[in-house]
Amino acid sequence: MNYLRGFIPWLVFAGVSSAGWQWGALAGLTAAVALLIADRAAGLALDLRLLEYGTIVFFAALALLAFARPDSGLKMYGSALSMGWLALIAWVSIAVRRPFTRGIARRMAPPEVWHTPLFQRINVVLTAAWALSFTLTALAQTAVSAYGWPMAVSILIQLAGFVLPVRFTAAYPERARARFMETSGARADIQGGLAS
């Protein structure tokens, strides 16, 4: 569930936007800033918070646009824009070698594993899964908005865009650790055989 915490501002945006997209953007911005302040108060390092910083930038820009031009045509693409921005954050975090899931994973993993290649690899794979899901969801939401498909279709797409990577995130780290242990054991056996 720690993975979902970073997406609270996006959920707030989705919920409040029915009262007006500018209010949704402002509520999302407020939630994002509040979470970052809470992390700082809890003593968490802020250097790995790419998702949180990216969220603040998005909602600040969207709030400015939405209050300046509440009738903008971009209003109907709010879901696609938000998912596209999340995809951009995720892909950039991989490109700069700071996968956004690493900051979240540090809340759950002991400090002694934070700098291991396995920890890094798991987080690159997890972030890539989220990035792919965000990208596909953004494209699907663009089609929903462009063709005026029913809200139910948009909701199903949005749910799938979060549920699938959540399930993958829940299962993958343990599989990766097991595969690593299996491979490490096989290597130790081979090296033991060569030494004798």
Side-chain angles (χ1 to χ4, degrees):
M1 285 316 228
N2 279 321
Y3 279 92
L4 297 180
R5 184 180 184 278
F7 299 113
I8 289 172
W10 303 92
L11 299 172
V12 168
F13 167 65
V16 176
S17 286
S18 59
W21 72 314
Q22 64 272 44
W23 301 113
L26 190 58
L29 177 60
T30 302
V33 170
L35 285 173
L36 197 61
I37 290 170
D39 282 352
R40 188 65 196 134
L44 297 173
L46 299 181
D47 63 328
L48 294 174
R49 303 282 179 239
L50 293 175
L51 176 63
E52 289 82 352
Y53 295 132
T55 298
I56 289 170
V57 168
F58 177 82
F59 285 124
L62 187 64
L64 285 172
L65 171 68
F67 278 105
R69 302 240 358 249
D71 58 342
S72 171
L74 289 177
K75 177 181 176 180
M76 65 187 272
Y77 290 94
S79 182
L81 287 171
S82 63
M83 296 307 286
W85 186 259
L86 282 169
L88 181 65
I89 291 170
W91 290 121
V92 167
S93 77
I94 292 171
V96 299
R97 298 176 166 264
R98 291 178 173 260
F100 84 84
T101 58
R102 191 169 66 176
I104 300 165
R106 280 185 164 191
R107 293 173 182 259
M108 299 173 280
E112 57 269 13
V113 303
W114 292 355
H115 300 290
T116 64
L118 178 62
F119 186 78
Q120 179 67 13
R121 177 70 184 144
I122 287 171
N123 281 286
V124 168
V125 171
L126 291 177
T127 300
W130 282 95
L132 180 60
S133 181
F134 293 148
T135 302
L136 294 175
T137 304
L139 293 171
Q141 292 291 22
T142 300
V144 167
S145 297
Y147 296 111
W149 293 343
M151 180 60 76
V153 173
S154 177
I155 291 170
L156 287 174
I157 290 169
Q158 201 77 14
L159 284 173
F162 277 97
V163 169
L164 294 174
V166 163
R167 291 184 60 131
F168 181 75
T169 298
Y172 177 75
E174 194 53 47
R175 285 196 323 247
R177 280 189 289 273
R179 190 169 38 245
F180 174 78
M181 296 305 286
E182 187 178 293
T183 304
S184 295
R187 271 192 233 136
D189 288 345
I190 289 170
Q191 289 173 348
L194 291 175
S196 55

